[in-house]
Amino acid sequence: MTENLLSISDLAVKFHGAPDGALAVKGIDLAIGRGEVVAIVGESGSGKSVTAKSIMRLVEFMGAEIVRGRAMLSERAGGATDLLVQDEARMQQVRGDRVAMIFQEPMTSLNPVLTIGQQLCEVVIKHRKAGRAEADKIALNALQQVRIPEPERRLKQYPHELSGGMRQRVMIAMAILCKPDLLIADEPTTALDVTVQAEILALLKTIQRETGMAILLITHDMGVVAEIADKVVVMLRGEVVESGDVHAIFNAPQHEYTRRLLDAAPKLSARMECGVQSVTEAPAHTPDEETSKPEVVLSVRNLVTRFAVRQGMFQRVVANVHAVEDVSFDLREKETLSLVGESGCGKSTTGKSIMRLIRPDGGEVLLQGRNLEGVGASEMTQMRKRIQMVFQDPYASLNPRMSIEQIISEPLRIHRSGSPTEIRDRVFGLLDRVGLTRAQASLYPHQFSGGQRQRICIARALALNPKVIIADEPVSALDVSIQGQILDLLAEIQEEFAISILFISHDMAVVERVSDRIAVMYLGEIIEIGPRDAVLGAPAHPYTQQLLSAVPIVHPDQRRARVFAARELRSPIRPPGYRHETPPMKAVGIEHYARIA
């Protein structure tokens, strides 16, 4: 029997201001053995993160108090310490050394005024009493372990200069610096694409085997649970409703809520999971087939977006980030085209370049035949009635000082689309359509859950009856059950309003569920594009094959040994005047093309 590293008994947590008896965590028991991976799963508000932060005694900085309970951490020299009764000085020694935590929101967890190197070295210097030179070496090694490209350069950068996925990798590097006994990982792979997620999970398992580190994993991704967990704890409304061995839970869930969670988990169909199929040549379309295609509503031709890298007193351009390189595709009426790829591949930049939120350096964007290049600000405002965007972070894209009615009605008021009464009726109709109540119109963004805020963003995007919606990772941070609701809502709205959707995502299971066609991006280029079943069932490009092989299989009995050869971490940064060359697209099937030599 595995010796317990941490034993939690009768833990109860209450937030200040909550009614008497209203507990966020209601007397839970939890044991984590040495070297074990224990996963806590459940929807938002179930108490997962509050439980984890109680172990670290961080809930006391969040307006909450630990009402009762014990959290006994085994000491290396023998005996055990109750973390819930230690003073702050002792807890500062424990945090980062014995128990480390990877937080869900890396941007709010990193200090914006310190470089990445300074923040990593601070941990090493405090807990290992190392000199700065040694700390620099350990920090660089940690960044290399989590596979950040150009780690030497990243040490000198600030958090805002990194993508969301890179910031999450920095947080993971910081947590494993001192090889703690217990690593608490709060949604550690939410912002990561499948290949990096698979590498990070494999990395955590490797470190665990080498050091005997235990992991408390908090996640809503049942694929991640199936991939690495030994035990599962299912939480609902602050209580543990089921717990046990991962194989037992997945094979024979006892609680109805556990069954719902497993049913809601997005998964690739069996034919996609079985491996890469052979690619067969297919004949070209006949003229009759060409004329029967739906109308093209958005056409992107040779789109190029680059960002200048400046240095020195005079801010001379020393390089360019080739974020989007020669991207071309068509989006047809009532079609969903998904852009997939790793963090930093240019997916979101492509979407923002189409919307002219970022000014592209070349190429054309035609919306219903109208070229957006050279369009003035006034005309572009009118064109945006036809194309809207749903952003990845709903809270950041909603004005916290405006009520929901004001937020949804704002585009209608800007475009003078009706009288005040007509606008109000339109807002109420949209709230009804996205599953919210009219009584909620007077509330503010902070009073809603993440899934509800995303519904508000969808309602705002629908306000002007657009022809195209660009959905940038709209469900990446949501629980699996809420994900399903939002995806169903998008499908219903698409059918009802005849909307075309450019869906940007790194989740291949979600992409399979929503897509008609898929475009795979790598280093700013589309390297494969075609019908969903062709791209997922018979991927032609090696990178697409690698993406699919990294997708977790949502059952522990089918768990695969993760073996990842070191990949070349190519950088999109090129010197000034660099001439970009790429293999041409080749037809590998019906409407299926790939850049293969």
Side-chain angles (χ1 to χ4, degrees):
M1 186 173 177
T2 307
E3 176 196 355
N4 283 341
L5 173 67
L6 180 70
S7 298
I8 298 173
S9 57
D10 197 28
L11 175 65
V13 180
K14 178 185 176 183
F15 280 87
H16 300 312
D20 291 339
L23 299 175
V25 174
K26 303 173 183 178
I28 71 165
D29 298 323
L30 178 66
I32 305 170
R34 290 189 180 275
E36 275 188 338
V37 180
V38 178
I40 302 181
V41 299
E43 294 181 345
S44 294
S46 62
K48 308 186 302 293
S49 294
V50 173
T51 299
K53 290 174 181 175
S54 297
I55 297 169
M56 299 281 282
R57 297 279 299 282
L58 297 176
V59 290
E60 295 159 33
F61 300 96
M62 300 165 50
E65 62 175 320
I66 298 171
V67 178
R68 64 177 186 272
R70 303 175 74 194
M72 305 302 295
L73 178 67
S74 296
E75 295 292 346
R76 290 166 179 165
T81 300
D82 186 359
L83 297 179
L84 304 188
V85 298
Q86 303 303 308
D87 60 22
E88 179 58 22
R90 172 61 180 147
M91 287 307 301
Q92 285 185 12
Q93 294 175 350
V94 170
R95 296 181 196 125
D97 184 23
R98 296 290 317 283
V99 183
M101 188 164 183
I102 303 167
F103 294 93
Q104 184 173 357
E105 290 290 342
M107 191 60 190
T108 56
S109 306
L110 294 171
N111 192 324
V113 299
L114 295 179
T115 65
I116 300 302
Q118 288 172 322
Q119 296 184 63
L120 291 172
C121 290
E122 183 181 28
V123 176
V124 179
I125 292 170
K126 178 176 179 60
H127 293 293
R128 291 291 176 263
K129 312 301 181 187
R132 184 58 195 249
E134 184 183 353
D136 283 336
K137 188 181 298 182
I138 294 172
L140 178 61
N141 182 60
L143 290 186
Q144 290 169 337
Q145 278 189 297
V146 296
R147 303 195 60 74
I148 283 189
E150 301 181 293
E152 295 88 351
R153 183 167 170 264
R154 305 303 174 198
L155 288 172
K156 301 173 184 177
Q157 291 183 307
Y158 291 86
H160 72 272
E161 297 179 86
L162 305 182
S163 69
M166 285 188 182
R167 288 196 292 263
Q168 190 67 292
R169 280 182 261 184
V170 169
M171 284 298 303
I172 294 170
M174 189 179 297
I176 64 176
L177 275 173
C178 296
K179 293 184 170 52
D181 294 323
L182 173 63
L183 175 64
I184 301 173
D186 189 357
E187 301 280 9
T189 59
T190 293
L192 305 181
D193 44 81
V194 287
T195 50
V196 178
Q197 170 181 280
E199 290 168 352
I200 291 298
L201 294 178
L203 169 67
L204 291 177
K205 290 291 285 185
T206 300
I207 294 172
Q208 179 202 27
R209 284 194 300 270
E210 291 174 352
T211 66
M213 175 180 71
I215 299 175
L216 179 61
L217 177 69
I218 299 165
T219 184
H220 64 254
D221 189 333
M222 301 306 286
V224 171
V225 173
E227 196 73 32
I228 71 167
D230 300 311
K231 295 180 181 177
V232 183
V233 176
V234 183
M235 290 190 67
L236 176 65
R237 301 189 192 96
E239 298 179 302
V240 174
V241 296
E242 188 167 359
S243 64
D245 177 78
V246 64
H247 297 276
I249 294 288
F250 274 75
N251 285 320
Q254 300 301 305
H255 198 278
E256 174 60 27
Y257 178 67
T258 309
R259 289 194 286 270
R260 290 207 312 269
L261 275 182
L262 291 171
D263 290 341
K267 53 184 76 71
L268 284 175
S269 60
R271 71 181 184 283
M272 306 302 180
E273 290 178 346
C274 66
V276 178
Q277 302 173 15
S278 60
V279 178
T280 57
E281 292 289 336
H285 279 302
T286 64
D288 289 342
E289 288 174 315
E290 291 291 337
T291 56
S292 66
K293 290 180 186 177
E295 175 193 354
V296 173
V297 293
L298 178 68
S299 183
V300 178
R301 290 285 173 268
N302 310 113
L303 188 67
V304 175
T305 303
R306 297 172 181 170
F307 301 106
V309 178
R310 301 177 183 274
Q311 282 184 2
M313 181 184 297
F314 299 105
Q315 292 294 283
R316 184 171 57 89
V317 176
V318 297
N320 289 294
V321 179
H322 290 232
V324 178
E325 276 298 323
D326 197 27
V327 164
S328 300
F329 60 83
D330 289 332
L331 180 63
R332 299 164 188 156
E333 189 175 27
K334 293 178 68 173
E335 178 187 49
T336 298
L337 172 65
S338 291
L339 280 181
V340 300
E342 290 182 292
S343 174
C345 73
K347 306 185 302 292
S348 295
T349 304
T350 298
K352 290 173 183 175
S353 297
I354 292 169
M355 289 289 295
R356 287 302 191 268
L357 299 177
I358 294 173
R359 191 75 180 177
D361 294 284
E364 295 181 337
V365 176
L366 285 79
L367 181 61
Q368 293 184 296
R370 179 73 170 90
N371 193 345
L372 301 186
E373 179 60 33
V375 169
S378 176
E379 190 177 354
M380 190 64 215
T381 300
Q382 293 300 316
M383 295 297 289
R384 286 202 178 104
K385 291 174 69 174
R386 303 184 215 169
I387 183 167
Q388 290 287 305
M389 193 161 186
V390 177
F391 294 92
Q392 180 176 358
D393 186 346
Y395 193 63
S397 59
L398 297 174
N399 190 327
R401 295 182 177 87
M402 294 173 69
S403 70
I404 301 312
E405 181 179 353
Q406 291 171 322
I407 286 170
I408 298 175
S409 66
E410 184 179 30
L412 294 165
R413 288 185 277 107
I414 289 172
H415 291 277
R416 297 183 176 87
S417 300
S419 66
T421 301
E422 291 171 333
I423 289 175
R424 187 178 180 86
D425 289 342
R426 173 69 173 157
V427 170
F428 287 161
L430 288 167
L431 286 174
D432 290 340
R433 187 63 199 82
V434 299
L436 298 174
T437 66
R438 300 184 179 199
Q440 292 173 305
S442 60
L443 301 180
Y444 289 81
H446 72 273
Q447 296 175 282
F448 292 86
S449 68
Q452 288 175 319
R453 286 197 286 262
Q454 199 60 288
R455 289 172 183 268
I456 294 164
C457 291
I458 292 171
R460 178 176 61 183
L462 289 172
L464 296 169
N465 290 320
K467 292 297 293 180
V468 176
I469 287 181
I470 299 174
D472 186 3
E473 300 273 15
V475 297
S476 64
L478 304 180
D479 303 314
V480 287
S481 56
I482 307 300
Q483 272 188 16
Q485 294 170 18
I486 295 298
L487 294 176
D488 288 342
L489 174 63
L490 285 172
E492 293 167 9
I493 285 169
Q494 181 176 36
E495 185 64 32
E496 183 178 336
F497 296 96
I499 289 172
S500 304
I501 299 176
L502 180 63
F503 193 90
I504 298 169
S505 180
H506 65 257
D507 190 325
M508 301 300 288
V510 168
V511 163
E512 188 207 1
R513 177 172 173 175
V514 304
S515 305
D516 297 304
R517 289 189 301 137
I518 295 174
V520 183
M521 289 193 71
Y522 177 65
L523 284 178
E525 299 176 338
I526 290 180
I527 50 92
E528 185 163 358
I529 185 169
R532 176 196 61 190
D533 290 354
V535 172
L536 297 182
H541 196 283
Y543 176 71
T544 311
Q545 297 168 9
Q546 187 179 57
L547 273 181
L548 291 173
S549 67
V551 176
I553 297 174
V554 192
H555 203 290
D557 291 347
Q558 301 170 29
R559 188 177 291 179
R560 298 162 293 184
R562 290 288 187 179
V563 179
F564 290 97
R567 289 192 296 139
E568 180 188 1
L569 300 175
R570 293 174 57 196
S571 170
I573 299 176
R574 305 281 186 267
Y578 176 84
R579 185 175 178 180
H580 187 79
E581 295 182 3
T582 186
M585 282 282 193
K586 292 184 179 179
V588 293
I590 299 174
E591 291 195 317
H592 186 187
Y593 303 91
R595 294 189 192 276
I596 50 179

PDB file of all heavy atoms in Angstrom, residues 546-557:
ATOM      1  N   GLN A 546       1.222  14.125 -36.460  1.00  0.00           N
ATOM      2  CA  GLN A 546       1.751  14.313 -35.106  1.00  0.00           C
ATOM      3  C   GLN A 546       0.685  14.907 -34.190  1.00  0.00           C
ATOM      4  O   GLN A 546       0.545  14.488 -33.025  1.00  0.00           O
ATOM      5  CB  GLN A 546       2.969  15.242 -35.172  1.00  0.00           C
ATOM      6  CG  GLN A 546       3.712  15.389 -33.864  1.00  0.00           C
ATOM      7  CD  GLN A 546       4.906  16.309 -34.026  1.00  0.00           C
ATOM      8  OE1 GLN A 546       4.756  17.456 -34.441  1.00  0.00           O
ATOM      9  NE2 GLN A 546       6.080  15.809 -33.733  1.00  0.00           N
ATOM     10  N   LEU A 547      -0.095  15.872 -34.697  1.00  0.00           N
ATOM     11  CA  LEU A 547      -1.174  16.468 -33.907  1.00  0.00           C
ATOM     12  C   LEU A 547      -2.171  15.400 -33.464  1.00  0.00           C
ATOM     13  O   LEU A 547      -2.569  15.343 -32.293  1.00  0.00           O
ATOM     14  CB  LEU A 547      -1.916  17.526 -34.731  1.00  0.00           C
ATOM     15  CG  LEU A 547      -1.404  18.963 -34.755  1.00  0.00           C
ATOM     16  CD1 LEU A 547      -2.329  19.815 -35.612  1.00  0.00           C
ATOM     17  CD2 LEU A 547      -1.299  19.551 -33.361  1.00  0.00           C
ATOM     18  N   LEU A 548      -2.572  14.554 -34.396  1.00  0.00           N
ATOM     19  CA  LEU A 548      -3.578  13.546 -34.087  1.00  0.00           C
ATOM     20  C   LEU A 548      -3.054  12.471 -33.137  1.00  0.00           C
ATOM     21  O   LEU A 548      -3.785  11.981 -32.275  1.00  0.00           O
ATOM     22  CB  LEU A 548      -4.088  12.902 -35.385  1.00  0.00           C
ATOM     23  CG  LEU A 548      -4.918  13.822 -36.275  1.00  0.00           C
ATOM     24  CD1 LEU A 548      -5.219  13.157 -37.600  1.00  0.00           C
ATOM     25  CD2 LEU A 548      -6.209  14.214 -35.573  1.00  0.00           C
ATOM     26  N   SER A 549      -1.784  12.118 -33.286  1.00  0.00           N
ATOM     27  CA  SER A 549      -1.218  11.091 -32.403  1.00  0.00           C
ATOM     28  C   SER A 549      -1.096  11.585 -30.966  1.00  0.00           C
ATOM     29  O   SER A 549      -0.994  10.788 -30.037  1.00  0.00           O
ATOM     30  CB  SER A 549       0.161  10.658 -32.912  1.00  0.00           C
ATOM     31  OG  SER A 549       1.103  11.711 -32.796  1.00  0.00           O
ATOM     32  N   ALA A 550      -1.120  12.916 -30.776  1.00  0.00           N
ATOM     33  CA  ALA A 550      -0.973  13.486 -29.431  1.00  0.00           C
ATOM     34  C   ALA A 550      -2.305  13.650 -28.707  1.00  0.00           C
ATOM     35  O   ALA A 550      -2.325  13.966 -27.526  1.00  0.00           O
ATOM     36  CB  ALA A 550      -0.277  14.848 -29.518  1.00  0.00           C
ATOM     37  N   VAL A 551      -3.427  13.446 -29.394  1.00  0.00           N
ATOM     38  CA  VAL A 551      -4.738  13.636 -28.770  1.00  0.00           C
ATOM     39  C   VAL A 551      -4.959  12.560 -27.708  1.00  0.00           C
ATOM     40  O   VAL A 551      -4.826  11.365 -27.995  1.00  0.00           O
ATOM     41  CB  VAL A 551      -5.865  13.555 -29.821  1.00  0.00           C
ATOM     42  CG1 VAL A 551      -7.231  13.663 -29.157  1.00  0.00           C
ATOM     43  CG2 VAL A 551      -5.695  14.662 -30.857  1.00  0.00           C
ATOM     44  N   PRO A 552      -5.294  12.955 -26.467  1.00  0.00           N
ATOM     45  CA  PRO A 552      -5.546  11.936 -25.430  1.00  0.00           C
ATOM     46  C   PRO A 552      -6.766  11.091 -25.779  1.00  0.00           C
ATOM     47  O   PRO A 552      -7.753  11.590 -26.314  1.00  0.00           O
ATOM     48  CB  PRO A 552      -5.818  12.779 -24.170  1.00  0.00           C
ATOM     49  CG  PRO A 552      -5.306  14.145 -24.467  1.00  0.00           C
ATOM     50  CD  PRO A 552      -5.418  14.321 -25.939  1.00  0.00           C
ATOM     51  N   ILE A 553      -6.685   9.803 -25.486  1.00  0.00           N
ATOM     52  CA  ILE A 553      -7.822   8.908 -25.660  1.00  0.00           C
ATOM     53  C   ILE A 553      -8.587   8.876 -24.341  1.00  0.00           C
ATOM     54  O   ILE A 553      -8.001   8.654 -23.284  1.00  0.00           O
ATOM     55  CB  ILE A 553      -7.354   7.497 -26.059  1.00  0.00           C
ATOM     56  CG1 ILE A 553      -6.651   7.549 -27.419  1.00  0.00           C
ATOM     57  CG2 ILE A 553      -8.523   6.528 -26.109  1.00  0.00           C
ATOM     58  CD1 ILE A 553      -6.031   6.244 -27.849  1.00  0.00           C
ATOM     59  N   VAL A 554      -9.908   9.114 -24.417  1.00  0.00           N
ATOM     60  CA  VAL A 554     -10.669   9.326 -23.189  1.00  0.00           C
ATOM     61  C   VAL A 554     -11.068   7.993 -22.552  1.00  0.00           C
ATOM     62  O   VAL A 554     -12.239   7.679 -22.366  1.00  0.00           O
ATOM     63  CB  VAL A 554     -11.907  10.201 -23.465  1.00  0.00           C
ATOM     64  CG1 VAL A 554     -12.539  10.661 -22.154  1.00  0.00           C
ATOM     65  CG2 VAL A 554     -11.502  11.432 -24.273  1.00  0.00           C
ATOM     66  N   HIS A 555     -10.053   7.187 -22.242  1.00  0.00           N
ATOM     67  CA  HIS A 555     -10.283   5.983 -21.437  1.00  0.00           C
ATOM     68  C   HIS A 555      -8.926   5.443 -20.981  1.00  0.00           C
ATOM     69  O   HIS A 555      -8.041   5.218 -21.800  1.00  0.00           O
ATOM     70  CB  HIS A 555     -11.028   4.902 -22.210  1.00  0.00           C
ATOM     71  CG  HIS A 555     -11.725   3.941 -21.292  1.00  0.00           C
ATOM     72  ND1 HIS A 555     -11.029   3.046 -20.505  1.00  0.00           N
ATOM     73  CD2 HIS A 555     -13.038   3.772 -21.008  1.00  0.00           C
ATOM     74  CE1 HIS A 555     -11.886   2.357 -19.790  1.00  0.00           C
ATOM     75  NE2 HIS A 555     -13.112   2.773 -20.063  1.00  0.00           N
ATOM     76  N   PRO A 556      -8.763   5.216 -19.671  1.00  0.00           N
ATOM     77  CA  PRO A 556      -7.451   4.778 -19.157  1.00  0.00           C
ATOM     78  C   PRO A 556      -7.033   3.392 -19.630  1.00  0.00           C
ATOM     79  O   PRO A 556      -5.847   3.077 -19.660  1.00  0.00           O
ATOM     80  CB  PRO A 556      -7.637   4.818 -17.632  1.00  0.00           C
ATOM     81  CG  PRO A 556      -9.117   4.733 -17.418  1.00  0.00           C
ATOM     82  CD  PRO A 556      -9.734   5.424 -18.590  1.00  0.00           C
ATOM     83  N   ASP A 557      -8.004   2.537 -20.014  1.00  0.00           N
ATOM     84  CA  ASP A 557      -7.658   1.202 -20.496  1.00  0.00           C
ATOM     85  C   ASP A 557      -6.919   1.259 -21.836  1.00  0.00           C
ATOM     86  O   ASP A 557      -6.257   0.290 -22.219  1.00  0.00           O
ATOM     87  CB  ASP A 557      -8.916   0.336 -20.650  1.00  0.00           C
ATOM     88  CG  ASP A 557      -9.531  -0.015 -19.303  1.00  0.00           C
ATOM     89  OD1 ASP A 557      -8.844   0.192 -18.278  1.00  0.00           O
ATOM     90  OD2 ASP A 557     -10.695  -0.464 -19.266  1.00  0.00           O
TER      91      ASP A 557
END
